[in-house]
Amino acid sequence: MKKVKVRLRPLVNKINLPTVLKTAFLPGDSMERLFMATQVGEIYYIRDGAIKTFLDIRARILALGTSGGGYDERGLLGLAFHPEFNLNGLFYLHYSLAGTQGPGALPGPFKPDPCNPETLNLRWINRETQYDHIDTVEEWIVQPKGHPQKRRTLLNIRRPFLNHNGVNSLTFSPETGKLVLTTGDGGSGYDPFHLSQDDMEIAGKIIEMDVGMHTLIEYPPVVTRFHELPVPIQNTLTVMAKGVRNIPGISFQRFHHQYIKYAGNVGQDSVESIFSFVQYKPLSVTRLVQAASMHAEPVQEGLINFGWRGWEGAFPTSIISGCTSNPALDEKTIAYYDEAVTTSAKLIQPLTSYFHKDPRADKFGGTALTGVQPYMGQEIPDLTGSVVFIDLARNEGSQPPARGVLAYTRVRADGKQNDFSVIETDDYEFGSQPAYYVTLGANRDQTKLFLGAYGSMKVADYNQGTIFEIVP
């Protein structure tokens, strides 16, 4: 892979933790604007060099950073503009609802124990009381020279834990015109309730939503499984992919008369993976529910399966523990889920992967994949047609302050896994402040790339965000 060097040109400073960076044409406006959504619930845009407030829903979002030492993965998670937003003013939000905090599905941290098979087959019971919070997907509208207003709720999803809710989780497919929602596996670690491979679970899926179909249901029920949805809502949904652990959105790259889809799956202990695919056959949720009611297996040929929880990218998920009664012995057991076998013939292989530990001089040890975007611009010719991605922070035992990583890869003509290369950045002066790379965005024609960096891992450490444009 060719060595590439870019500069980070700051656009905005001292904002809260950014989760989404996208561009759109406001109704009645003739210029494409950069929109920035923050995890705490603010949406801004840049106009005439100034920062304007588009929408503030902080009051609608549950209190963040109150547990886990201030770390949190809830909040404003997704923002998508309708393909005809400049004409109809429609846009969509995915966020964690205020007033829905629960005790969580398990009393403490979870890690499977291969010496105790019961930990490998847990079930999420008492879902209406044992959950962490509720996420909602809503449709909003803004009229020319008017204020945004909520129109309707599309989904209310009960989540078992505070993490793995997806981020940058909404986009419109240029292929189908449908709203695409990415959901994580529900959280904790190792997918304790095996939700991501269960066809009836909303968790761990990539879902297409036909927002042009009006269900006439003003207040959808709070659900965790597809069959709990009213039939009119089921009719609007299809499943594009399953086997998702946690995903920083999905992106589309035009290739002749079709689109390459890119999606990253955040790893558990070892590896971060980026997947690409062109052809797929989404499964109608209505058919999934009908098949389940008849105890039948629906035909899943063409459904994309990322393999989790049996697989981390191209590697079977390993569970390592000491099973000896004599702790003085350096004896370990490596175990694998049964799903590593049962899903092995069904999953797709990643486009590329990178490891949490990598001693090679031209690579890096990663922490968590936080963004994937194709680049089709000409200003950075060595990146044209490539897939750019970011990692939260280098994990190489280096001294603080933390620094994120920018890298790229390409789709191979033979469809096999490809290598990747770190993109060198100029010496932007972050100083002694950490610089976690938390989100990656692009404009509508993917000729510009935007990077969001933050100076803390805690969402409640305010005003430490910087938005950059990635330039030659």
Side-chain angles (χ1 to χ4, degrees), residues 199-279:
D199 292 338
M200 279 298 99
E201 298 287 348
I202 296 174
K205 308 297 186 296
I206 301 179
I207 300 164
E208 294 177 308
M209 310 171 66
D210 188 345
V211 296
M213 294 178 62
H214 289 270
T215 63
L216 303 179
I217 296 174
E218 188 173 356
Y219 300 106
V222 179
V223 302
T224 60
R225 294 169 65 84
F226 287 120
H227 69 79
E228 298 166 351
L229 290 166
V231 171
I233 296 180
Q234 292 180 27
N235 291 338
T236 69
L237 305 179
T238 56
V239 177
M240 176 189 291
K242 67 179 183 178
V244 170
R245 183 176 183 269
N246 201 26
I247 183 170
I250 183 171
S251 54
F252 297 77
Q253 181 184 37
R254 188 173 182 86
F255 182 72
H256 298 301
H257 300 295
Q258 52 192 358
Y259 287 88
I260 305 174
K261 276 71 71 176
Y262 298 103
N265 214 7
V266 178
Q268 176 68 52
D269 291 326
S270 304
V271 65
E272 308 293 305
S273 300
I274 298 165
F275 296 85
S276 68
F277 58 95
V278 176
Q279 303 298 332

Coordinates of all heavy atoms in Angstrom, one line a residue, residues 199-279:
D199 N -32.7 -14.5 14.7 CA -33.4 -13.8 13.6 C -34.5 -12.9 14.2 O -34.9 -11.9 13.5 CB -34.1 -14.8 12.7 CG -33.0 -15.5 11.8 OD1 -31.9 -15.0 11.6 OD2 -33.3 -16.6 11.3
M200 N -35.1 -13.2 15.3 CA -36.1 -12.4 15.9 C -35.7 -11.2 16.7 O -36.5 -10.3 17.0 CB -37.0 -13.3 16.8 CG -38.0 -14.2 16.1 SD -39.3 -13.2 15.2 CE -38.6 -13.4 13.5
E201 N -34.4 -11.1 17.0 CA -33.9 -10.0 17.8 C -33.5 -8.8 16.9 O -32.9 -9.0 15.9 CB -32.6 -10.5 18.6 CG -32.9 -11.6 19.6 CD -33.6 -11.1 20.8 OE1 -33.8 -9.9 21.0 OE2 -34.0 -12.0 21.6
I202 N -33.9 -7.6 17.4 CA -33.6 -6.4 16.7 C -32.1 -6.1 16.9 O -31.5 -5.6 16.0 CB -34.5 -5.3 17.1 CG1 -36.0 -5.5 16.8 CG2 -34.0 -3.9 16.5 CD1 -36.9 -4.5 17.3
A203 N -31.6 -6.5 18.0 CA -30.2 -6.2 18.3 C -29.2 -7.0 17.3 O -29.6 -8.1 16.9 CB -29.8 -6.6 19.7
G204 N -28.1 -6.4 17.0 CA -27.1 -7.0 16.2 C -27.4 -7.1 14.7 O -27.0 -8.0 14.0
K205 N -28.2 -6.2 14.2 CA -28.7 -6.3 12.8 C -28.5 -4.9 12.1 O -28.2 -3.9 12.7 CB -30.2 -6.5 12.8 CG -30.7 -7.7 13.6 CD -30.1 -9.0 13.1 CE -30.7 -10.2 13.8 NZ -30.4 -10.3 15.3
I206 N -28.5 -5.0 10.7 CA -28.6 -3.8 9.9 C -30.0 -3.9 9.3 O -30.3 -4.9 8.6 CB -27.5 -3.7 8.8 CG1 -26.1 -3.7 9.5 CG2 -27.7 -2.5 8.0 CD1 -25.0 -3.7 8.5
I207 N -30.8 -2.9 9.5 CA -32.2 -2.9 9.1 C -32.5 -1.8 8.1 O -32.1 -0.7 8.3 CB -33.1 -2.7 10.4 CG1 -32.8 -3.9 11.4 CG2 -34.6 -2.7 10.1 CD1 -33.3 -3.6 12.8
E208 N -33.3 -2.2 7.1 CA -33.8 -1.2 6.2 C -35.2 -0.8 6.5 O -36.0 -1.7 6.8 CB -33.8 -1.7 4.7 CG -32.4 -1.9 4.2 CD -32.4 -2.5 2.8 OE1 -33.0 -3.6 2.6 OE2 -31.7 -2.0 1.9
M209 N -35.6 0.5 6.5 CA -36.9 1.0 6.9 C -37.5 1.8 5.8 O -36.9 2.8 5.3 CB -36.8 1.8 8.2 CG -36.0 1.2 9.3 SD -35.7 2.3 10.7 CE -37.4 2.6 11.3
D210 N -38.6 1.4 5.3 CA -39.3 2.1 4.2 C -40.1 3.2 4.8 O -41.3 3.0 5.3 CB -40.2 1.2 3.4 CG -40.8 1.8 2.2 OD1 -40.8 3.1 2.1 OD2 -41.3 1.1 1.3
V211 N -39.5 4.4 4.9 CA -40.2 5.6 5.6 C -41.3 6.1 4.7 O -42.1 7.0 5.2 CB -39.2 6.6 6.0 CG1 -38.2 6.1 7.0 CG2 -38.5 7.2 4.8
G212 N -41.4 5.7 3.5 CA -42.5 6.2 2.6 C -43.8 5.5 2.9 O -44.9 5.9 2.5
M213 N -43.8 4.3 3.6 CA -45.0 3.6 4.0 C -45.4 4.1 5.4 O -44.7 4.1 6.4 CB -44.7 2.1 4.1 CG -44.4 1.5 2.8 SD -44.0 -0.3 3.0 CE -45.6 -0.9 3.7
H214 N -46.6 4.7 5.5 CA -47.1 5.2 6.7 C -48.0 4.2 7.4 O -48.9 3.6 6.8 CB -47.9 6.5 6.5 CG -47.1 7.7 6.1 ND1 -46.5 8.5 7.0 CD2 -46.7 8.1 4.9 CE1 -45.8 9.5 6.4 NE2 -45.9 9.2 5.1
T215 N -47.6 3.9 8.6 CA -48.2 2.8 9.4 C -49.5 3.2 10.1 O -50.3 2.4 10.6 CB -47.3 2.2 10.4 OG1 -46.9 3.2 11.4 CG2 -46.0 1.7 9.7
L216 N -49.7 4.5 10.3 CA -50.8 5.1 11.0 C -50.8 4.7 12.5 O -51.8 4.8 13.2 CB -52.2 4.7 10.4 CG -52.4 5.0 8.9 CD1 -53.7 4.5 8.4 CD2 -52.2 6.5 8.7
I217 N -49.6 4.3 13.0 CA -49.4 4.0 14.4 C -48.6 5.2 15.0 O -47.4 5.4 14.7 CB -48.6 2.7 14.6 CG1 -49.5 1.5 14.0 CG2 -48.3 2.4 16.0 CD1 -48.8 0.2 14.0
E218 N -49.3 5.9 15.9 CA -48.7 7.1 16.4 C -47.7 6.8 17.5 O -46.6 7.5 17.6 CB -49.8 8.1 17.0 CG -49.3 9.4 17.4 CD -50.4 10.4 17.7 OE1 -51.6 10.0 17.6 OE2 -50.1 11.5 18.2
Y219 N -47.9 5.8 18.3 CA -47.0 5.5 19.4 C -46.7 4.0 19.3 O -47.3 3.1 19.9 CB -47.7 5.8 20.7 CG -48.1 7.2 20.9 CD1 -49.5 7.6 20.8 CD2 -47.2 8.2 21.2 CE1 -49.8 8.9 21.0 CE2 -47.5 9.5 21.3 CZ -48.9 9.9 21.2 OH -49.2 11.2 21.4
P220 N -45.6 3.7 18.6 CA -45.2 2.3 18.5 C -44.8 1.7 19.9 O -44.3 2.4 20.8 CB -43.9 2.3 17.6 CG -44.0 3.6 16.9 CD -44.7 4.6 17.9
P221 N -45.1 0.4 20.2 CA -44.7 -0.2 21.4 C -43.2 -0.3 21.6 O -42.5 -0.2 20.6 CB -45.4 -1.6 21.4 CG -45.4 -1.9 19.9 CD -45.7 -0.5 19.2
V222 N -42.8 -0.4 22.8 CA -41.4 -0.6 23.1 C -41.1 -2.1 23.0 O -41.8 -2.9 23.7 CB -41.0 -0.1 24.6 CG1 -39.5 -0.4 24.9 CG2 -41.3 1.4 24.7
V223 N -40.1 -2.5 22.2 CA -39.9 -3.9 21.8 C -38.4 -4.2 21.9 O -37.6 -3.3 21.9 CB -40.5 -4.2 20.4 CG1 -42.0 -3.9 20.4 CG2 -39.7 -3.4 19.4
T224 N -38.2 -5.5 21.9 CA -36.8 -6.0 21.7 C -36.8 -7.0 20.5 O -35.7 -7.2 20.0 CB -36.3 -6.7 22.9 OG1 -37.1 -7.8 23.3 CG2 -36.2 -5.7 24.1
R225 N -37.9 -7.6 20.1 CA -38.0 -8.6 19.1 C -38.9 -8.2 18.0 O -39.9 -7.5 18.2 CB -38.4 -9.9 19.7 CG -37.3 -10.5 20.7 CD -37.9 -11.7 21.5 NE -38.1 -12.8 20.7 CZ -37.2 -13.7 20.3 NH1 -35.9 -13.6 20.6 NH2 -37.5 -14.8 19.5
F226 N -38.7 -8.6 16.8 CA -39.5 -8.2 15.6 C -40.9 -8.6 15.8 O -41.8 -7.9 15.4 CB -38.9 -8.8 14.4 CG -37.6 -8.2 13.9 CD1 -36.4 -8.9 13.8 CD2 -37.5 -6.8 13.6 CE1 -35.2 -8.3 13.4 CE2 -36.4 -6.2 13.2 CZ -35.2 -7.0 13.1
H227 N -41.2 -9.8 16.3 CA -42.6 -10.3 16.4 C -43.4 -9.5 17.3 O -44.7 -9.5 17.3 CB -42.7 -11.8 16.7 CG -42.3 -12.1 18.1 ND1 -43.1 -11.9 19.2 CD2 -41.1 -12.6 18.6 CE1 -42.5 -12.3 20.3 NE2 -41.3 -12.7 20.0
E228 N -42.8 -8.6 18.2 CA -43.6 -7.8 19.1 C -44.1 -6.5 18.4 O -44.9 -5.8 19.0 CB -42.7 -7.4 20.3 CG -42.2 -8.6 21.1 CD -41.1 -8.2 22.1 OE1 -40.5 -7.1 22.0 OE2 -40.7 -9.1 22.9
L229 N -43.6 -6.3 17.2 CA -44.0 -5.1 16.5 C -45.4 -5.3 15.8 O -45.7 -6.4 15.3 CB -43.0 -4.7 15.4 CG -41.7 -4.2 15.8 CD1 -40.7 -4.2 14.7 CD2 -41.8 -2.8 16.4
P230 N -46.2 -4.3 15.7 CA -47.5 -4.4 15.0 C -47.2 -4.7 13.5 O -46.2 -4.3 13.0 CB -48.1 -3.0 15.1 CG -47.5 -2.4 16.4 CD -46.1 -3.0 16.4
V231 N -48.1 -5.4 12.9 CA -47.9 -5.9 11.5 C -47.6 -4.7 10.6 O -46.7 -4.8 9.7 CB -49.1 -6.7 11.0 CG1 -48.9 -7.0 9.5 CG2 -49.1 -8.0 11.8
P232 N -48.3 -3.6 10.7 CA -48.0 -2.5 9.8 C -46.6 -2.0 9.9 O -46.0 -1.6 8.8 CB -49.0 -1.4 10.2 CG -50.1 -2.1 10.8 CD -49.5 -3.3 11.5
I233 N -46.0 -2.0 11.0 CA -44.6 -1.7 11.2 C -43.7 -2.8 10.6 O -42.7 -2.5 10.0 CB -44.2 -1.3 12.6 CG1 -45.0 -0.1 13.1 CG2 -42.7 -1.1 12.8 CD1 -44.8 0.3 14.6
Q234 N -44.0 -4.0 10.9 CA -43.2 -5.1 10.3 C -43.1 -5.0 8.8 O -42.1 -5.3 8.2 CB -43.9 -6.5 10.7 CG -43.8 -6.9 12.1 CD -44.5 -8.2 12.4 OE1 -44.6 -9.1 11.5 NE2 -45.0 -8.4 13.6
N235 N -44.2 -4.6 8.2 CA -44.3 -4.5 6.7 C -43.3 -3.5 6.2 O -42.9 -3.5 5.0 CB -45.7 -4.2 6.3 CG -46.6 -5.3 6.5 OD1 -46.2 -6.5 6.6 ND2 -47.9 -5.0 6.6
T236 N -42.8 -2.5 7.0 CA -41.9 -1.5 6.5 C -40.4 -1.9 6.7 O -39.6 -1.1 6.2 CB -42.1 -0.2 7.3 OG1 -41.7 -0.3 8.7 CG2 -43.6 0.3 7.3
L237 N -40.2 -3.1 7.3 CA -38.8 -3.4 7.7 C -38.3 -4.6 6.9 O -39.0 -5.6 6.7 CB -38.7 -3.7 9.2 CG -39.2 -2.6 10.1 CD1 -39.1 -3.1 11.6 CD2 -38.5 -1.3 9.9
T238 N -37.0 -4.6 6.6 CA -36.3 -5.7 6.1 C -34.9 -5.8 6.8 O -34.4 -4.7 7.2 CB -36.0 -5.7 4.5 OG1 -35.4 -4.4 4.2 CG2 -37.4 -5.8 3.8
V239 N -34.4 -7.0 6.9 CA -33.1 -7.2 7.5 C -32.0 -7.3 6.4 O -32.1 -8.3 5.6 CB -33.1 -8.4 8.5 CG1 -31.7 -8.6 9.1 CG2 -34.1 -8.2 9.6
M240 N -31.0 -6.5 6.4 CA -29.9 -6.5 5.4 C -28.8 -7.4 5.9 O -28.2 -8.2 5.1 CB -29.4 -5.1 5.2 CG -28.2 -5.0 4.3 SD -27.4 -3.4 4.2 CE -28.7 -2.5 3.4
A241 N -28.5 -7.4 7.2 CA -27.4 -8.2 7.8 C -27.6 -8.5 9.2 O -28.3 -7.8 9.9 CB -26.1 -7.4 7.6
K242 N -26.9 -9.5 9.7 CA -26.9 -9.9 11.1 C -25.5 -10.2 11.5 O -24.6 -10.1 10.7 CB -27.9 -11.0 11.4 CG -27.5 -12.4 10.8 CD -28.6 -13.4 11.2 CE -28.2 -14.8 10.6 NZ -29.2 -15.8 11.1
G243 N -25.4 -10.7 12.8 CA -24.0 -11.0 13.3 C -23.2 -9.8 13.5 O -22.0 -9.8 13.5
V244 N -23.8 -8.7 13.9 CA -23.2 -7.4 14.2 C -22.9 -7.3 15.7 O -23.7 -7.6 16.5 CB -24.0 -6.2 13.8 CG1 -23.5 -4.9 14.3 CG2 -24.2 -6.2 12.3
R245 N -21.6 -6.9 16.0 CA -21.3 -6.7 17.4 C -21.6 -5.2 17.8 O -22.4 -4.9 18.6 CB -19.8 -7.0 17.7 CG -19.4 -6.8 19.2 CD -18.0 -7.3 19.5 NE -17.7 -7.1 20.9 CZ -17.2 -6.0 21.4 NH1 -16.9 -5.0 20.7 NH2 -16.9 -6.0 22.7
N246 N -20.9 -4.3 17.1 CA -21.1 -2.9 17.2 C -20.6 -2.3 16.0 O -19.6 -2.7 15.5 CB -20.5 -2.3 18.5 CG -21.1 -1.0 18.9 OD1 -22.3 -0.7 18.6 ND2 -20.4 -0.1 19.5
I247 N -21.3 -1.3 15.5 CA -21.0 -0.8 14.1 C -21.0 0.7 14.0 O -22.0 1.3 14.5 CB -21.9 -1.5 13.1 CG1 -21.6 -1.1 11.7 CG2 -23.4 -1.1 13.4 CD1 -22.4 -2.0 10.7
P248 N -20.0 1.3 13.5 CA -20.0 2.8 13.3 C -20.6 3.2 12.0 O -20.0 3.9 11.2 CB -18.5 3.2 13.4 CG -17.8 2.0 12.8 CD -18.6 0.8 13.2
G249 N -21.8 2.7 11.7 CA -22.5 3.1 10.5 C -22.2 2.2 9.3 O -21.3 1.4 9.3
I250 N -22.9 2.5 8.2 CA -22.7 1.8 6.9 C -22.6 2.9 5.9 O -23.3 3.9 6.0 CB -23.9 0.8 6.6 CG1 -23.6 0.1 5.3 CG2 -25.2 1.5 6.6 CD1 -24.6 -1.1 5.1
S251 N -21.8 2.7 4.9 CA -21.6 3.7 3.8 C -21.7 3.0 2.5 O -21.4 1.8 2.4 CB -20.3 4.5 4.0 OG -19.2 3.6 4.1
F252 N -22.0 3.8 1.4 CA -22.2 3.3 0.1 C -21.3 4.0 -0.9 O -21.1 5.2 -0.8 CB -23.7 3.6 -0.3 CG -24.7 2.8 0.5 CD1 -25.0 3.3 1.8 CD2 -25.3 1.7 0.0 CE1 -26.0 2.7 2.5 CE2 -26.3 1.0 0.8 CZ -26.6 1.5 2.0
Q253 N -20.7 3.2 -1.8 CA -19.8 3.8 -2.8 C -20.2 3.3 -4.2 O -20.4 2.1 -4.4 CB -18.3 3.3 -2.6 CG -17.3 3.8 -3.5 CD -15.9 3.2 -3.3 OE1 -15.8 2.0 -3.0 NE2 -14.9 4.0 -3.5
R254 N -20.6 4.3 -5.0 CA -21.0 4.0 -6.4 C -19.9 3.3 -7.2 O -18.8 3.8 -7.2 CB -21.6 5.2 -7.1 CG -22.3 4.9 -8.4 CD -23.0 6.1 -9.0 NE -23.7 5.7 -10.2 CZ -24.9 5.3 -10.3 NH1 -25.6 5.1 -9.2 NH2 -25.5 5.0 -11.4
F255 N -20.3 2.2 -7.8 CA -19.3 1.5 -8.6 C -20.0 1.1 -9.9 O -20.8 0.1 -9.9 CB -18.7 0.3 -7.9 CG -17.7 -0.5 -8.7 CD1 -16.4 0.0 -8.9 CD2 -18.0 -1.8 -9.2 CE1 -15.5 -0.7 -9.6 CE2 -17.1 -2.5 -9.9 CZ -15.8 -2.0 -10.1
H256 N -19.8 1.8 -11.0 CA -20.6 1.6 -12.2 C -22.1 1.8 -12.0 O -22.5 2.8 -11.5 CB -20.2 0.3 -12.9 CG -18.8 0.2 -13.3 ND1 -18.2 1.0 -14.1 CD2 -17.8 -0.7 -12.9 CE1 -16.9 0.7 -14.3 NE2 -16.6 -0.3 -13.5
H257 N -22.8 0.7 -12.1 CA -24.3 0.8 -12.0 C -24.8 0.2 -10.7 O -26.0 -0.2 -10.5 CB -25.0 0.2 -13.1 CG -24.7 0.9 -14.5 ND1 -25.0 2.2 -14.7 CD2 -24.0 0.4 -15.5 CE1 -24.6 2.5 -15.9 NE2 -24.0 1.4 -16.5
Q258 N -23.9 0.0 -9.7 CA -24.2 -0.6 -8.4 C -23.4 0.1 -7.3 O -22.6 0.9 -7.6 CB -24.0 -2.1 -8.5 CG -22.6 -2.5 -8.9 CD -22.5 -4.0 -9.2 OE1 -23.5 -4.8 -9.0 NE2 -21.4 -4.5 -9.6
Y259 N -23.7 -0.4 -6.1 CA -23.1 0.2 -4.9 C -22.3 -0.8 -4.1 O -22.9 -1.9 -3.9 CB -24.1 0.9 -4.1 CG -24.6 2.2 -4.6 CD1 -25.7 2.2 -5.5 CD2 -24.0 3.4 -4.4 CE1 -26.2 3.3 -6.0 CE2 -24.5 4.6 -4.9 CZ -25.6 4.5 -5.7 OH -26.1 5.7 -6.3
I260 N -21.1 -0.5 -3.7 CA -20.4 -1.3 -2.7 C -20.8 -0.7 -1.4 O -20.8 0.5 -1.1 CB -18.9 -1.2 -2.9 CG1 -18.5 -1.5 -4.3 CG2 -18.2 -2.1 -1.9 CD1 -17.0 -1.3 -4.6
K261 N -21.2 -1.7 -0.5 CA -21.5 -1.3 0.9 C -20.3 -1.6 1.8 O -19.7 -2.6 1.7 CB -22.7 -2.1 1.4 CG -24.1 -1.5 1.0 CD -24.4 -1.6 -0.5 CE -24.7 -3.0 -1.0 NZ -25.1 -3.1 -2.4
Y262 N -20.0 -0.7 2.7 CA -19.0 -0.8 3.7 C -19.5 -0.7 5.1 O -20.3 0.2 5.4 CB -17.9 0.2 3.5 CG -17.2 0.2 2.2 CD1 -17.5 1.1 1.2 CD2 -16.2 -0.8 1.9 CE1 -16.9 1.1 0.0 CE2 -15.6 -0.8 0.6 CZ -16.0 0.2 -0.3 OH -15.4 0.1 -1.6
A263 N -19.1 -1.7 6.0 CA -19.5 -1.6 7.4 C -18.4 -2.2 8.2 O -17.8 -3.2 7.9 CB -20.8 -2.4 7.6
G264 N -18.1 -1.5 9.3 CA -17.1 -2.0 10.2 C -17.7 -2.7 11.4 O -18.8 -2.3 11.9
N265 N -17.1 -3.7 11.9 CA -17.6 -4.4 13.1 C -16.5 -4.3 14.2 O -15.4 -4.7 14.0 CB -17.8 -5.9 12.8 CG -19.0 -6.5 13.6 OD1 -19.7 -5.7 14.3 ND2 -19.2 -7.8 13.5
V266 N -16.9 -3.6 15.3 CA -15.9 -3.4 16.4 C -15.6 -4.7 17.1 O -16.6 -5.5 17.3 CB -16.5 -2.4 17.4 CG1 -15.5 -2.2 18.5 CG2 -16.7 -1.0 16.7
G267 N -14.4 -5.0 17.3 CA -14.0 -6.3 17.9 C -14.1 -6.4 19.4 O -14.4 -5.4 20.1
Q268 N -14.0 -7.6 19.9 CA -14.1 -7.9 21.3 C -12.7 -7.8 22.0 O -12.5 -6.8 22.7 CB -14.6 -9.3 21.5 CG -14.7 -9.8 23.0 CD -15.7 -9.0 23.8 OE1 -16.9 -8.9 23.4 NE2 -15.3 -8.4 24.9
D269 N -11.8 -8.6 21.7 CA -10.5 -8.6 22.4 C -9.3 -8.5 21.4 O -8.2 -8.1 21.8 CB -10.3 -9.9 23.2 CG -11.2 -10.0 24.4 OD1 -11.5 -8.9 25.0 OD2 -11.6 -11.1 24.8
S270 N -9.5 -8.9 20.2 CA -8.3 -9.1 19.3 C -8.2 -8.2 18.1 O -7.2 -7.8 17.7 CB -8.3 -10.6 18.9 OG -8.3 -11.4 20.0
V271 N -9.4 -8.1 17.3 CA -9.3 -7.6 16.0 C -10.5 -6.7 15.6 O -11.6 -6.9 16.1 CB -9.1 -8.8 15.0 CG1 -10.4 -9.6 15.0 CG2 -8.8 -8.3 13.6
E272 N -10.2 -5.7 14.8 CA -11.2 -4.8 14.3 C -11.4 -5.1 12.8 O -10.4 -5.3 12.1 CB -10.9 -3.3 14.4 CG -10.5 -2.9 15.9 CD -11.7 -3.0 16.8 OE1 -12.7 -2.4 16.5 OE2 -11.6 -3.7 17.8
S273 N -12.6 -5.1 12.3 CA -12.8 -5.6 10.9 C -13.7 -4.7 10.1 O -14.7 -4.1 10.6 CB -13.4 -7.0 10.9 OG -12.6 -7.9 11.6
I274 N -13.4 -4.5 8.8 CA -14.2 -3.8 7.9 C -14.7 -4.7 6.8 O -13.8 -5.5 6.2 CB -13.4 -2.6 7.2 CG1 -12.9 -1.7 8.3 CG2 -14.2 -1.9 6.2 CD1 -11.9 -0.7 7.9
F275 N -16.0 -4.7 6.5 CA -16.6 -5.6 5.5 C -17.0 -4.8 4.3 O -17.4 -3.7 4.5 CB -17.7 -6.4 6.1 CG -17.4 -7.3 7.3 CD1 -17.3 -6.8 8.6 CD2 -17.1 -8.6 7.0 CE1 -16.9 -7.7 9.6 CE2 -16.8 -9.5 8.0 CZ -16.7 -9.0 9.3
S276 N -17.1 -5.5 3.2 CA -17.6 -4.9 2.0 C -18.5 -5.9 1.3 O -18.1 -7.1 1.3 CB -16.5 -4.3 1.1 OG -15.8 -5.3 0.5
F277 N -19.5 -5.5 0.6 CA -20.4 -6.4 -0.2 C -21.1 -5.6 -1.2 O -21.4 -4.4 -1.0 CB -21.3 -7.2 0.7 CG -22.2 -6.4 1.6 CD1 -23.5 -6.2 1.2 CD2 -21.8 -6.0 2.8 CE1 -24.4 -5.4 2.0 CE2 -22.7 -5.2 3.7 CZ -24.0 -5.0 3.2
V278 N -21.5 -6.2 -2.2 CA -22.3 -5.6 -3.3 C -23.7 -6.2 -3.3 O -24.7 -5.5 -3.1 CB -21.7 -5.7 -4.7 CG1 -22.6 -5.1 -5.7 CG2 -20.3 -5.0 -4.6
Q279 N -23.8 -7.5 -3.6 CA -25.1 -8.2 -3.7 C -25.6 -8.6 -2.3 O -24.8 -9.1 -1.5 CB -25.0 -9.4 -4.6 CG -24.5 -9.0 -6.0 CD -25.4 -8.1 -6.8 OE1 -26.6 -8.1 -6.5 NE2 -24.8 -7.3 -7.7

